[in-house]
Amino acid sequence: MAEIPIIVISSSREGTGKTTLALNLAAAMWSDGYNVGLLTNDNIAVQNFMQKRHKLCARHNIKMPFPYLLQNIDKLPFGPSEKNVIIADIAAADTQKYAAIFGVAHTLITVAASREDFDWDINHPYANVIWQAKKIRAAKGTPFMNWIVVPDQLTAASVNFTDELGELAKRHGFRVAAPLHYRSAFQHI
């Protein structure tokens, strides 16, 4: 049986568009026939998104599957298969609470809001979780996850930030995707 891929979408701060990205990625995967398990604490945003998506699909006579809303990744409503995926929308305040998920994730998508998101020291909680995930994977002999950094829509206009991200990518080992306000961002992810 295939292992269920886990995609973690996170940021070191709130309000960067993590939940919006998670929901749009889930919707794209549903339309490709995937069963999507969604782990999020932003239930209001999920309900609003689902209501709007349901109305839109009903107007166009499109059948829309709903995600499985998960409390954790220990008990899943589906088994391993080629067409299952878990998307974990991890808020900055919950990074430590869900640190174990980072260690088993296949892909980490970090939504970056500014250069300060990468001014890490040993006490930076987000950096700590990522380094712990690297240690867990190294101990298991598995390569580090696919790490993608996406600039949020407010900071994407800054040419300096985009250039700095390229330099930071070399140092920290991530790839940079198109900013969230570009449609191509979803293709990169």
Side-chain angles (χ1 to χ4, degrees):
M1 285 249 188
E3 186 177 322
I4 299 175
I6 299 172
I7 300 169
V8 173
I9 299 174
S10 65
S11 181
S12 65
R13 62 179 71 203
E14 303 295 327
T16 58
K18 294 176 300 294
T19 301
T20 300
L21 176 60
L23 290 168
N24 281 302
L25 183 59
M29 296 187 90
W30 298 324
S31 69
D32 282 346
Y34 282 83
N35 291 314
V36 179
L38 185 62
L39 178 68
T40 183
N41 283 342
D42 198 346
N43 292 324
I44 293 171
V46 170
Q47 289 171 349
N48 289 338
F49 177 88
M50 296 307 296
Q51 287 172 351
K52 290 175 186 174
R53 182 68 61 154
H54 186 69
K55 287 178 186 176
L56 177 69
C57 289
R59 270 195 309 247
H60 296 284
N61 205 18
I62 299 170
K63 182 181 175 220
M64 187 194 102
F66 287 87
Y68 298 99
L69 295 178
L70 308 174
Q71 299 299 316
N72 58 54
I73 62 168
D74 297 330
K75 294 181 182 175
L76 300 176
F78 47 76
S81 118
E82 295 291 319
K83 285 295 211 176
N84 292 332
V85 66
I86 296 169
I87 297 175
D89 169 27
I90 309 295
D94 294 328
T95 301
Q96 295 295 324
K97 178 180 175 184
Y98 293 106
I101 295 174
F102 285 76
V104 296
H106 295 76
T107 300
L108 168 61
I109 300 171
T110 300
V111 182
S114 75
R115 169 76 170 89
E116 289 75 38
D117 289 345
F118 296 95
D119 286 338
W120 293 346
D121 64 24
I122 195 68
N123 297 317
H124 193 289
Y126 191 70
N128 244 333
V129 167
I130 291 174
W131 295 126
Q132 291 302 320
K134 285 186 172 194
K135 283 185 197 177
I136 290 168
R137 295 180 79 87
K140 291 180 183 176
T142 57
F144 188 61
M145 69 190 94
N146 180 25
W147 187 11
I148 303 166
V149 172
V150 181
D152 77 354
Q153 60 187 7
L154 297 176
T155 59
S158 168
V159 174
N160 290 341
F161 181 58
T162 304
D163 291 342
E164 287 181 51
L165 267 181
E167 291 301 314
L168 290 166
K170 293 175 192 170
R171 185 169 4 142
H172 294 299
F174 56 78
R175 293 182 300 133
V176 180
L180 285 180
H181 68 279
Y182 295 131
R183 293 183 76 143
S184 61
F186 294 100
Q187 293 170 340
H188 288 153
I189 292 169

